[in-house]
Amino acid sequence: MASEAYPYIIFLSIVAIMIALSPFYLIALVFVLLLAFVVYFFRDPERTIPSGNDIIVAPADGRVTKVAKVNPDQVDSPSLISIFLSPLDVHINRSPIAGRISEVNHIKGRFVPATREDASLINEQNVITIENGGVKIIMKQIAGIIARRCVLWKKAGESVALGERVGLIKFSSRTDLILPTEYNVLVKVGDRLKGGVTIIGRKN
């Protein structure tokens, strides 16, 4: 379980106990259910990461909502994959490739629904660039109408392994990935992905 869950667990546990000891003890069930949801939401299951120097793995669990060229008018345009994470998905973000984080930018913005087309342009987000041997991957942690905080556990200059945990987004969100032209996209809209496990791109 992600450590970010502990403040919520402690708070909800204290409230549930206090109410359970009062004449309104039945209301404590509401907080017990909220506590169960928090534990479930912040789960962090172990994953078996595939091996290979020519693959890109999913940076998050969720459903693919968009696969498109970043610049449709250009033949050699990078590809964009958008992944929507519902409140029931695991919200841990993982590194799509092994390499070094060359740049991290936090962009302040709005909190419109993550499924909106323009969410990647106007919402609060972390933009993480990962490089390895000339290959550059851009991953975006995008906040949504419920998700109000993107958490990144790594800093620029740090190395990451393929599928390594790098952060999380709290309570429903979206993760975008921009793949360079030398990679074939292996997923389509509607596919369900498992972070660190599903291979979403392979080098030509």
Side-chain angles (χ1 to χ4, degrees):
M1 183 168 55
S3 60
E4 282 77 6
Y6 296 136
Y8 298 98
I9 291 173
I10 293 171
F11 172 76
L12 290 171
S13 297
I14 292 173
V15 173
I17 292 171
M18 291 177 63
I19 295 177
L21 297 175
S22 75
F24 308 100
Y25 59 90
L26 290 178
I27 299 177
L29 291 175
V30 175
F31 290 90
V32 171
L33 291 174
L34 286 173
L35 178 61
F37 171 75
V38 167
V39 171
Y40 179 77
F41 178 86
F42 284 99
R43 67 196 185 281
D44 182 12
E46 293 295 331
R47 296 283 166 84
T48 301
I49 311 300
S51 59
N53 297 322
D54 62 342
I55 61 173
I56 296 174
V57 297
D61 287 33
R63 178 174 56 87
V64 177
T65 57
K66 183 177 182 179
V67 177
K69 294 293 186 181
V70 175
N71 301 304
D73 297 332
Q74 297 181 9
V75 177
D76 59 347
S77 170
S79 298
L80 167 68
I81 300 175
S82 293
I83 306 164
F84 175 71
L85 294 74
S86 80
L88 299 180
D89 287 313
V90 173
H91 272 58
I92 300 295
N93 283 134
R94 292 175 177 268
S95 179
I97 62 170
R100 184 181 67 88
I101 298 177
S102 60
E103 189 175 359
V104 174
N105 289 311
H106 175 73
I107 301 174
K108 293 184 178 181
R110 298 169 60 186
F111 299 97
V112 303
T115 51
R116 272 181 46 170
E117 182 75 18
D118 58 351
S120 64
L121 301 176
I122 64 176
N123 274 18
E124 182 133 344
Q125 58 192 272
N126 286 326
V127 182
I128 305 107
T129 303
I130 306 171
E131 298 188 45
N132 185 346
V135 174
K136 180 185 291 186
I137 303 288
I138 297 175
M139 181 175 77
K140 295 183 178 183
Q141 295 178 301
I142 303 172
I145 194 170
I146 300 176
R148 294 290 173 135
R149 188 181 175 201
C150 302
V151 180
L152 184 63
W153 299 326
K154 298 290 185 177
K155 299 178 182 178
E158 291 188 299
S159 296
V160 289
L162 178 69
E164 181 180 348
R165 299 170 177 88
V166 295
L168 65 83
I169 314 175
K170 294 182 179 180
F171 305 115
S172 183
S173 52
R174 172 173 155 186
T175 301
D176 280 3
L177 202 64
I178 298 177
L179 284 62
T181 56
E182 60 264 35
Y183 281 82
N184 290 321
V185 175
L186 304 180
V187 295
K188 62 184 184 301
V189 172
D191 284 353
R192 294 286 308 178
L193 309 182
K194 186 174 287 189
V197 175
T198 307
I199 299 174
I200 63 174
R202 190 180 297 274
K203 200 168 187 178
N204 297 330

